[in-house]
Amino acid sequence: MRRGKFITVEGIDGAGKSSHLEFLCARVRAKGHGVLLTREPGGTPIGEQLRKMVLHQPMPAVAEALLMFGARSLHVNDVIEPALEAGTWVICDRFSDSSFAYQCGGRGLDTHVVANLEALVHPALQPDATYLFDVDPATAYERQRKEGRSPDVFEREQVAFFERVREAYLERSRQQLYRFHIIDASGTPEMVRSILAAEFERTFA
Ligand code: TYD
């Protein structure tokens, strides 16, 4: 059985990534592979409970990181690895790059802390491809305001926070060029979709 591919989707809040996840799944299926769509924080029953806590209760960055990686440990062991082993492709809405971007870039946690947690929790697993939806934080903020949902602890942050999150994502992408694909997410959903489709086909030609 050929191992499945592990694809992650990242970006600042309001970048619009979530609206393209089903589309990505359809592209994988069109290639003849089974696909599992999952998300972080979350993806397991305990992980979903941790999600509720971490998104709605302000806490120190180190506590945030530990809860994210606690949830991630269960997710990798119980869901992601078994699926990949069985040949299923996994598309994950956020993964450890979010911890580097939000807990380190946004909150100021030392990157060594998150690098150590990453090495502890998934020493042998990295995404085969990461689609980073990149947009300037002012545009993302406007999009979110229009959605009108009640904001979680991250969505309540100011534009300066998301500038730092964005920069941390871009820095990480420069360090791991082989797997990062930067998607210009400033255009209409149709424009973004066609960029994503072309990039996906290039990755998995
Ligand atoms: P998100 O996935 O954007 O969900 P929704 O679209 O329902 O708001 O929200 C999850 C939030 O969690 C997002 O603001 C980023 C944050 N986050 C971290 O800070 N660190 C992490 O490791 C992960 C996975 C997410």
Side-chain angles (χ1 to χ4, degrees):
M1 173 66 70
R2 198 142 170 229
R3 188 177 159 86
K5 300 287 184 196
F6 183 36
I7 299 171
T8 60
V9 180
E10 298 280 355
I12 63 172
D13 293 86
K17 65 181 169 51
S18 303
S19 55
H20 300 290
L21 293 168
E22 278 301 338
F23 171 75
L24 262 187
C25 288
R27 300 303 280 221
V28 172
R29 280 190 211 101
K31 289 193 172 293
H33 307 289
V35 62
L36 174 78
L37 175 61
T38 186
R39 70 168 179 184
E40 291 207 349
T44 65
I46 293 176
E48 290 293 329
Q49 288 184 41
L50 289 170
R51 177 186 178 93
K52 285 191 195 117
M53 296 178 204
V54 79
L55 296 191
H56 298 290
Q57 172 69 52
M59 61 183 77
V62 68
E64 246 173 39
L66 290 170
L67 292 182
M68 296 291 182
F69 275 96
R72 185 163 297 135
S73 173
L74 292 165
H75 196 204
V76 168
N77 279 289
D78 297 353
V79 177
I80 298 174
E81 273 297 347
L84 295 173
E85 281 294 311
T88 302
W89 288 35
V90 175
I91 297 180
C92 195
D93 184 356
R94 301 191 178 282
F95 193 60
S96 294
D97 297 319
S98 280
S99 300
F100 282 96
Y102 283 77
Q103 278 64 57
C104 301
R107 299 266 193 251
L109 190 65
D110 195 313
T111 50
H112 291 112
V113 174
V114 168
N116 284 334
L117 290 171
E118 187 189 33
L120 184 70
V121 167
H122 55 95
L125 178 70
Q126 277 297 341
D128 294 290
T130 298
Y131 297 100
L132 172 59
F133 285 66
D134 184 54
V135 71
D136 87 88
T139 306
Y141 182 83
E142 262 313 295
R143 285 182 184 166
Q144 278 204 297
R145 208 176 50 83
K146 285 193 190 130
E147 272 183 20
R149 294 186 295 152
S150 70
D152 63 36
V153 290
F154 298 103
E155 292 160 348
R156 259 179 245 136
E157 291 289 343
Q158 303 300 310
V159 168
F161 176 88
F162 292 103
E163 300 276 8
R164 297 196 298 276
V165 173
R166 181 193 198 188
E167 192 39 55
Y169 268 133
L170 292 173
E171 174 60 28
R172 190 142 170 88
S173 76
R174 287 189 286 269
Q175 289 164 1
Q176 305 202 6
L177 282 174
Y178 70 94
R179 70 175 167 93
F180 268 92
H181 303 268
I182 297 177
I183 307 296
D184 176 356
S186 61
T188 62
E190 293 71 29
M191 285 158 73
V192 176
R193 180 153 302 187
S194 72
I195 297 172
L196 178 63
E199 206 55 38
F200 176 80
E201 290 309 322
R202 258 181 356 124
T203 324
F204 297 106

